[in-house]
Amino acid sequence: MQRLNSASSTTALSGAMFRPVTGPRPATEIIQQIRGLIHDQRLRADDRLPPERDLAEQFAVSRNSVRQALRSLEEQGLLVIRKGATGGAFIQGGGAGAVPTLMSDLFSLGAIRPQDLTEVRVLVGVEVVRLACQRGTDEEIDGLEQNVEAADAAVKSGDLALRTELNLEFHRILARMTGNNLLIAITDGVIATTQQFVARISRTPTSYVMPFRRRLLKLLRDRDVEGAAAEMRRHLLQQQRLYLKAAANLEESPRQ
């Protein structure tokens, strides 16, 4: 079977891509076939699937079944649906979007507890900073400093939504500085699940956040790997205590 790529003609390759489905749950079988091609590396990051109409013909199902399958794969983070003349269903780069979706679902189901989440935040966050300090470029550290300045300005102007987004981007920048795609995906999952968790609990103090980030920036510029890792550990352990205390208070509140 030939591999489909975004630069190729989907019409020329469409006849060899998929098999007709015959079971009672066509959308599930479609998902399994697409996943199989991804696992076999016959479909890779940024490859474009054939148009919906062609897929319906290949799978021998209705376009509604195809649409249902593609929507499910998009929700799982394996596909991205783009609009317009050059749009279509594309394989998500590395499938990294699946990690936040999976972690968020597990947290919603209670399979990931607040203690699990906050513990992993410490473990992942410290190692991300360690590698970011070793591998990050001066230009990337400049970008991190710009993020801190913008977040500080958002705090002073009272723009809490912007401050929150910039605070999350701070951790994403650090992850990208590692150059490790799996760490980037895991960090995205931890960030998304932390957002979900924080939305449930009462607001925790944040006055210590900006001073911490300025201290961390200096350590990164000095290439003090162990100092930066220790600073991140202290910060995340402090947040862990605050988050778990807020979660415990939330659990007790209905009983009062």
Side-chain angles (χ1 to χ4, degrees):
M1 185 180 291
Q2 291 176 286
R3 189 175 80 83
L4 185 67
N5 60 65
S6 54
S8 301
S9 166
T10 57
T11 303
L13 294 176
S14 61
M17 285 297 295
F18 301 105
R19 306 182 308 274
V21 300
T22 57
R25 304 174 69 178
T28 300
E29 291 190 46
I30 292 169
I31 291 169
Q32 289 172 346
Q33 285 197 41
I34 294 174
R35 279 183 170 275
L37 292 182
I38 293 172
H39 292 166
D40 292 342
Q41 295 191 328
R42 296 176 182 178
L43 282 172
R44 298 180 183 174
D46 299 322
D47 282 354
R48 182 174 60 190
L49 295 180
E52 190 178 285
R53 180 179 60 186
D54 292 353
L55 287 173
E57 291 177 359
Q58 291 177 53
F59 289 120
V61 297
S62 69
R63 292 178 68 171
N64 185 58
S65 293
V66 170
R67 199 173 297 123
Q68 181 182 347
L70 296 183
R71 189 181 305 118
S72 179
L73 287 166
E74 183 180 30
E75 291 172 352
Q76 294 168 31
L78 292 177
L79 287 184
V80 57
I81 309 298
R82 300 172 187 161
K83 305 293 185 181
T86 59
F90 293 82
I91 304 300
Q92 180 74 279
V99 177
T101 300
L102 174 61
M103 289 183 63
S104 180
D105 288 346
L106 290 173
F107 184 75
S108 296
L109 292 169
I112 294 177
R113 303 168 301 170
Q115 182 176 347
D116 301 329
L117 173 63
T118 55
E119 191 173 82
V120 167
R121 276 189 90 225
V122 177
L123 294 172
V124 172
V126 169
E127 293 311 311
V128 162
V129 163
R130 194 186 304 277
L131 287 178
C133 192
Q134 293 172 345
R135 300 175 179 176
T137 65
D138 290 341
E139 290 76 16
E140 287 174 320
I141 296 175
D142 290 342
L144 196 65
E145 184 168 13
Q146 291 169 10
N147 170 277
V148 172
E149 296 297 340
D152 192 30
V155 169
K156 291 174 180 175
S157 67
D159 191 338
L160 298 182
L162 177 59
R163 182 202 69 181
T164 298
E165 181 54 40
L166 288 167
N167 286 348
L168 296 174
E169 182 61 17
F170 178 88
H171 291 282
R172 295 189 186 102
I173 294 171
L174 282 171
R176 291 196 294 269
M177 288 168 64
T178 71
N180 184 309
N181 289 330
L182 184 55
L183 263 181
I184 293 169
I186 292 170
T187 298
D188 282 344
V190 170
I191 288 172
T193 311
T194 300
Q195 278 184 283
Q196 190 177 356
F197 169 57
V198 170
R200 295 183 181 181
I201 62 177
S202 58
R203 187 176 297 278
T204 56
T206 58
S207 58
Y208 62 90
V209 172
M210 298 309 297
F212 148 72
R213 292 189 176 174
R214 296 194 184 282
R215 291 193 301 271
L216 183 64
L217 272 170
K218 184 178 186 308
L219 292 165
L220 290 171
R221 287 206 182 277
D222 292 343
R223 302 295 175 171
D224 184 347
V225 175
E226 294 308 318
E231 184 66 34
M232 178 60 84
R233 182 183 298 277
R234 280 192 296 270
H235 170 70
L236 292 177
L237 286 173
Q238 181 178 12
Q239 283 200 318
Q240 182 184 42
R241 289 190 293 271
L242 292 170
Y243 285 167
L244 292 181
K245 181 178 179 181
N249 290 338
L250 184 64
E251 287 181 5
E252 293 174 0
S253 58
R255 303 172 193 166
Q256 295 174 353

